[in-house]
Amino acid sequence: VAVGATVYTLALGSDAGLSINSSSGAVTLTGSPDFESKASYSFTVVVTDAAGNFSSQAVSLDINNLKDTPDVPLIALGSGVANGATAAEATNAGGVVSVSAEAGVTMNVTFTNLLTNTSVDYQQFTTASTTPQAIALTATDIKTLGDGNIEVTAKATDVQGHTSTGIEHFTLDTVGVSVPSLVEMAGLLSDKWLGTNDIANGLTMQVRFVNGAGDVAPQVGDSVTLRYGPSNGTLPIQTELLDSTDIANGFVNFALLPTDAFGRDGAKQMIATVTDAAGNITNSNTKAFTLDTYVPTLKITENGTSLSDGMLSDTEANSGLKVQVAFTKTGSSTAKVNDKINLQLGEATLKSDVLDSADLTKGYVEFNLTAADLGLHGVKSLAAVVVDLAGNIGSSSQLNFTFGSVTFEPLLQASPLFMSGPITDGLDQTHPLVYTVL
């Protein structure tokens, strides 16, 4: 039993860096513990009463190896950002970057344009877990930063105030190439129609780039796609990756072949799209036209009975020969206003008619011929040929007949008849010529 007041002390040989409260016996470290400097402390506490009685207790204190700083945050680039971030990619909800850090730290994310030294700070947040946090820029952020090399810093701060920082970079590229021109080289689309002959002859579309002051020129590796469809060129036909020759020329050509899929007849649009390395897309002007690969089906007949016997007399011709050309009014081969129908005699065109709405309603046109139109007597062949707006050409069967009366003159062949007696040179009354009718 202690006699009187007790006093607590540390025995000689106890580790330095410790202090003891002489009244309570509480032992404390005189500085912050550091596992790397000293992993444990050993000391002996001695208690002594007023009579000089004492007892002691040896104590060992281990120091935990706690982290001095939080884990370095990990920064991952968003989808497509590695090749340069477009405005769409930078503002995507999936994040231009995503940041992951240990739970319980406070995060500060900063974007800095290294060329202009302009910075944008993302809203501070505290991590609840190690799940990556998507970080997206706003349109205002993009305008503030401007295009260029962007440095992303993510600083984690733990509850003790310790910090660690992760760094990543990407290129902000929000401006595509300047608007190119789409040109059809042979003028086949100048009438805004594309027909079978046009396709068969080959259609060449040229995409011309601009490279003036203030223009954004394409670069090697950018892609150019020629698109085609009923509206705004929805279907890709061909794609070219630009090389140094294309850049030097300032254009790229697309040769369209009959094997390229042009789709069904009707209103079409063609457009070229240029996609740069970052994914920015620039559209050219559009080429609007009508695809028409069918021609009207024609049928030629006489509107009357003059040719019922296959013959046409002068009298009948002078009275007028009415030739009717009927055409299809429905389906894919429908005739159209401004289609042209030629009535031909052999290779010569006798008369032409450009279809109007009244003709389409009737479903035919009629040509009146006279003897003067038919020319000399003889065997005649009439046919109708249609040339539609797209340049497609179709023809009817032939209407054959004989014009006028045809007489055949006998062919006389002279042959000598040899009589008895001497044959003399020349002819005389004794030896007449005998003619044989062939």
Side-chain angles (χ1 to χ4, degrees):
V1 178
V3 177
T6 56
V7 177
Y8 295 90
T9 60
L10 292 173
L12 292 175
S14 296
D15 288 342
L18 300 169
S19 66
I20 190 168
N21 187 303
S22 61
S23 299
S24 66
V27 178
T28 58
L29 292 171
T30 58
S32 297
D34 183 0
F35 177 85
E36 285 72 23
S37 299
K38 190 172 179 60
S40 65
Y41 291 85
S42 297
F43 56 93
T44 300
V45 177
V46 179
V47 58
T48 306
D49 64 11
N53 300 311
F54 67 91
S55 65
S56 63
Q57 177 66 52
V59 179
S60 178
L61 174 64
D62 292 328
I63 304 301
N64 290 332
N65 185 18
L66 300 177
K67 291 189 302 181
D68 296 323
T69 59
D71 293 337
V72 175
L74 299 178
I75 304 173
L77 299 179
S79 177
V81 175
N83 293 325
T86 65
E89 291 166 343
T91 57
N92 189 297
V96 65
V97 296
S98 60
V99 177
S100 56
E102 63 183 76
V105 297
T106 300
M107 294 299 306
N108 291 276
V109 181
T110 301
F111 296 84
T112 302
N113 187 318
L114 296 181
L115 178 63
T116 63
N117 205 33
T118 304
S119 296
V120 168
D121 292 321
Y122 186 77
Q123 182 179 358
Q124 187 182 79
F125 62 95
T126 300
T127 58
S129 67
T130 58
T131 302
Q133 171 75 35
I135 309 293
L137 296 174
T138 66
T140 301
D141 293 336
I142 292 175
K143 185 176 181 180
T144 300
L145 287 171
D147 283 2
N149 186 12
I150 306 300
E151 181 177 86
V152 186
T153 58
K155 185 173 74 171
T157 305
D158 63 17
V159 292
Q160 287 82 27
H162 302 139
T163 64
S164 62
T165 302
I167 299 176
E168 184 59 273
H169 298 85
F170 68 89
T171 299
L172 187 60
D173 182 0
T174 62
V175 180
V177 304
S178 298
V179 176
S181 299
L182 180 62
V183 179
E184 191 274 306
M185 297 302 292
L188 299 178
L189 296 181
S190 59
D191 58 0
K192 298 187 181 302
W193 288 86
L194 183 65
T196 303
N197 292 335
D198 298 331
I199 297 173
N201 291 332
L203 190 67
T204 299
M205 304 300 297
Q206 185 174 96
V207 182
R208 299 175 181 174
F209 311 117
V210 292
N211 192 17
D215 292 323
V216 179
Q219 304 296 318
V220 171
D222 290 353
S223 66
V224 182
T225 300
L226 186 66
R227 297 179 177 275
Y228 171 87
S231 62
N232 204 27
T234 53
L235 303 175
I237 301 178
Q238 295 180 20
T239 296
E240 292 285 341
L241 291 179
L242 299 183
D243 56 26
S244 56
T245 301
D246 300 324
I247 300 301
N249 290 338
F251 64 85
V252 63
N253 286 334
F254 291 91
L256 304 185
L257 304 174
T259 52
D260 288 309
F262 287 89
R264 296 180 179 179
D265 284 8
K268 306 290 182 180
Q269 285 189 342
M270 201 173 291
I271 191 172
T273 59
V274 182
T275 305
D276 65 14
N280 296 297
I281 297 176
T282 304
N283 293 329
S284 72
N285 58 299
T286 59
K287 284 290 183 182
F289 57 93
T290 299
L291 177 67
D292 181 6
T293 59
Y294 294 94
V295 293
T297 302
L298 303 182
K299 181 179 180 181
I300 185 170
T301 58
E302 181 211 359
N303 185 6
T305 59
S306 298
L307 301 181
S308 59
D309 57 356
M311 304 288 292
L312 181 69
S313 67
D314 288 319
T315 301
E316 290 171 330
N318 289 327
S319 298
L321 176 64
K322 293 183 178 180
V323 177
Q324 187 178 96
V325 179
F327 43 80
T328 48
K329 296 173 60 178
T330 59
S332 58
S333 301
T334 304
K336 302 176 182 64
V337 171
N338 292 325
D339 285 354
K340 186 177 182 180
I341 294 182
N342 298 322
L343 183 64
Q344 292 189 256
L345 177 61
E347 298 296 325
T349 299
L350 294 181
K351 296 189 176 184
S352 298
D353 195 345
V354 177
L355 301 183
D356 56 25
S357 57
D359 297 326
L360 296 185
T361 301
K362 292 186 300 181
Y364 66 87
V365 291
E366 198 166 81
F367 298 96
N368 292 319
L369 302 181
T370 65
D373 295 319
L374 299 175
L376 299 175
H377 290 173
V379 177
K380 305 294 180 181
S381 293
L382 293 175
V385 175
V386 60
V387 182
D388 68 12
L389 293 174
N392 300 305
I393 299 175
S395 60
S396 70
S397 59
Q398 291 183 335
L399 180 62
N400 300 314
F401 60 93
T402 300
F403 171 46
S405 57
V406 179
T407 58
F408 296 95
E409 300 292 338
L411 176 63
L412 301 180
Q413 176 176 308
S415 58
L417 177 64
F418 295 99
M419 309 296 290
S420 59
I423 297 176
T424 61
D425 294 333
L427 299 175
D428 56 28
Q429 292 181 355
T430 307
H431 301 86
L433 286 176
V434 176
Y435 291 90
T436 303
V437 179
L438 301 179

